[in-house]
């Protein structure tokens, strides 16, 4: 992590954290030390990250309000949420699968997924660390804007196969409801209570209970990730590694954020889907299904 870490943001640092850091600073390399950035208020994050893509718990937002109010010596400011703007007819990010399908001539697989998967299948299967690298935030914003305006996206222009990889993850993460739906979250969390030898069967039951449209899109995606995992000797992305990257983008709770304890069953579930793709998805074959 220390080698690949680009920047470490410490939000709302306490005096205790600053003291601990100063104590250990002599033991830490100067190169790593330069990666640390203190962020006193959430508004400062906008200067560094795509703030609108972050999921920030309500408790953190309230704490940030109190800190800013204390700094100004006044009562906490009231938060006024601007009225949501209606999505564009060409919108791809932040809208439901059903909306995308209705606005794209009943296309079963969202165009973003079709195009990114096709590009990565042709040029990214043997790229080491695919789906693990990041790209510049401005590039991501530019590509998302093109998609949302219904304009063509030529990934060759960016000369970086990691751009479509990150776009695919971002698309999944920004769905209003996770691809695997809210309903299966608790079922996934209970997977640790199932014997190891029976988990693939249980995963199959969970996946087959999905609405048909969701099932088809999930099957399309996992089929592709299975292809990626088969090149893991070269790309270093085994089913387990892919599960760590994609699990949190496929299922999350309706309320609140995912706890650290909840990550383990999510990752195990996703790993089984990828590693045992043919077993999990082999029985249910809808007429409208699409393969990568």
């Amino acid at each position: 992590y220390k080698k690949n870490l680009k920047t470490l943001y410490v939000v709302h640092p306490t005096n205790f954290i600053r003291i601990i850091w100063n104590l250990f600073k002599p033991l830490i390399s100067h190169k790593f030390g330069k990666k640390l950035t203190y962020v006193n208020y959430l508004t400062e994050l906008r200067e560094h990250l795509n703030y609108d893509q972050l999921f920030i718990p309500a408790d953190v937002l309230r704490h940030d309000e109190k800190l800013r109010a204390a700094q100004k010596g006044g009562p906490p400011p009231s938060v006024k949420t601007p009225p949501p703007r209606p999505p564009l007819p060409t919108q791809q990010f932040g809208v439901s699968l059903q909306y995308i399908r209705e606005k794209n001539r009943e296309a079963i697989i969202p165009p973003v997924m079709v195009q990114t998967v096709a590009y990565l299948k042709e040029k990214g299967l043997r790229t080491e660390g695919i789906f693990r690298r990041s790209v510049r935030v401005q590039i991501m914003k530019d590509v998302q804007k093109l998609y949302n305006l219904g304009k063509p996206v030529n990934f060759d222009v960016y000369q970086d196969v990691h751009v479509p990889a990150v776009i695919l993850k971002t698309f999944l993460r920004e769905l209003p409801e996770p691809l695997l739906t809210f309903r299966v979250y608790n079922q996934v969390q209970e997977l640790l209570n199932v014997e190891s030898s029976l988990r693939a069967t249980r995963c199959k039951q969970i996946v087959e209970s999905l609405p048909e449209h969701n099932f088809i899109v999930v099957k399309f995606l996992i089929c592709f990730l299975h292809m990626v995992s088969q090149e893991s000797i070269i790309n270093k992305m085994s089913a387990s590694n892919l599960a760590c990257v994609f699990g949190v983008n496929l299922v999350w709770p309706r309320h609140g954020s995912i706890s650290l304890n909840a990550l383990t069953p999510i990752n195990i579930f996703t790993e089984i889907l990828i590693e045992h793709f043919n077993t999990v998805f082999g029985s249910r074959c809808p007429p409208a299904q699409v393969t990568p």
Side-chain angles (χ1 to χ4, degrees):
Y1 282 124
K2 189 172 77 169
K3 180 180 177 182
N4 294 319
L5 187 71
K6 290 183 172 59
T7 309
L8 175 62
Y9 296 102
V10 180
V11 184
H12 301 149
T14 62
N15 289 331
F16 176 75
I17 290 175
R18 294 178 190 271
I19 291 170
I20 292 296
W21 173 255
N22 287 328
L23 285 175
F24 284 95
K25 200 170 184 180
L27 305 176
I28 300 172
S29 70
H30 176 67
K31 186 177 180 181
F32 179 75
K34 290 198 302 183
K35 296 180 179 181
L36 179 72
T37 300
Y38 285 124
V39 179
N40 294 312
Y41 307 104
L42 292 175
T43 51
E44 296 174 22
L45 276 177
R46 295 183 184 276
E47 301 172 14
H48 307 282
L49 303 169
N50 190 347
Y51 184 85
D52 295 330
Q53 288 187 5
L54 301 178
F55 177 81
I56 300 175
D59 289 341
V60 177
L61 293 171
R62 284 192 289 269
H63 180 66
D64 189 74
E65 287 179 18
K66 290 178 181 178
L67 290 176
R68 287 188 288 117
Q71 182 199 31
K72 297 175 182 177
S78 60
V79 178
K80 293 183 179 180
T81 305
R85 291 180 297 178
L88 297 168
T90 51
Q91 191 89 14
Q92 298 289 310
F93 289 84
V95 291
S96 68
L97 287 179
Q98 186 60 35
Y99 184 89
I100 295 172
R101 182 174 178 177
E102 290 173 356
K103 302 297 182 181
N104 289 271
R105 300 178 182 178
E106 293 300 312
I108 299 295
I109 310 297
V112 174
M113 293 184 67
V114 172
Q115 292 165 22
T116 53
V117 165
Y119 190 90
L120 291 167
K121 183 181 175 184
E122 180 183 356
K123 301 185 178 182
L125 288 182
R126 300 168 75 86
T127 299
E128 184 173 336
I130 192 67
F131 294 117
R132 275 203 160 169
R133 305 291 173 84
S134 60
V135 298
R136 285 176 45 220
V137 171
Q138 190 56 52
I139 291 177
M140 299 307 301
K141 287 182 176 180
D142 292 343
V143 174
Q144 285 182 273
K145 185 176 181 180
L146 288 174
Y147 270 119
N148 285 336
L149 293 175
K151 295 182 178 180
V153 176
N154 179 8
F155 288 114
D156 286 329
V157 170
Y158 305 99
Q159 298 182 334
D160 185 355
V161 74
H162 297 290
V163 172
V166 176
I167 282 290
L168 177 58
K169 291 189 298 180
T170 303
F171 172 80
L172 295 170
R173 186 169 59 249
E174 291 194 6
L175 287 171
E177 181 176 21
L179 191 56
L180 286 164
T181 73
F182 290 122
R183 185 176 55 81
V184 307
Y185 179 78
N186 289 335
Q187 298 175 47
V188 171
Q189 289 301 304
E190 294 166 359
L191 190 63
L192 294 182
N193 299 327
V194 179
E195 289 185 32
S196 299
S197 60
L198 301 175
R199 285 178 181 173
T201 301
R202 180 58 186 142
C203 290
K204 180 180 179 181
Q205 292 171 344
I206 293 173
V207 168
E208 288 187 343
S209 71
L210 292 172
E212 183 169 291
H213 189 195
N214 292 74
F215 177 84
I216 293 172
V217 178
V218 170
K219 186 173 183 178
F220 174 87
L221 175 66
I222 301 299
C223 180
F224 169 65
L225 296 181
H226 180 68
M227 294 179 190
V228 176
S229 70
Q230 290 181 315
E231 299 286 351
S232 61
I233 294 177
I234 297 170
N235 62 33
K236 311 300 182 187
M237 294 302 289
S238 63
S240 176
N241 290 339
L242 288 167
C244 291
V245 173
F246 276 90
V248 293
N249 295 319
L250 292 178
V251 61
W252 57 81
R254 186 182 296 274
H255 303 292
S257 56
I258 298 175
S259 66
L260 289 177
N261 290 335
L263 285 176
T264 299
I266 289 174
N267 290 347
I268 291 174
F269 174 76
T270 310
E271 181 180 352
I272 292 173
L273 297 192
I274 297 171
E275 187 171 350
H276 301 282
F277 169 75
N278 292 320
T279 300
V280 174
F281 292 90
S283 299
R284 186 177 175 185
C285 301
Q289 78 173 20
V290 182
T291 55

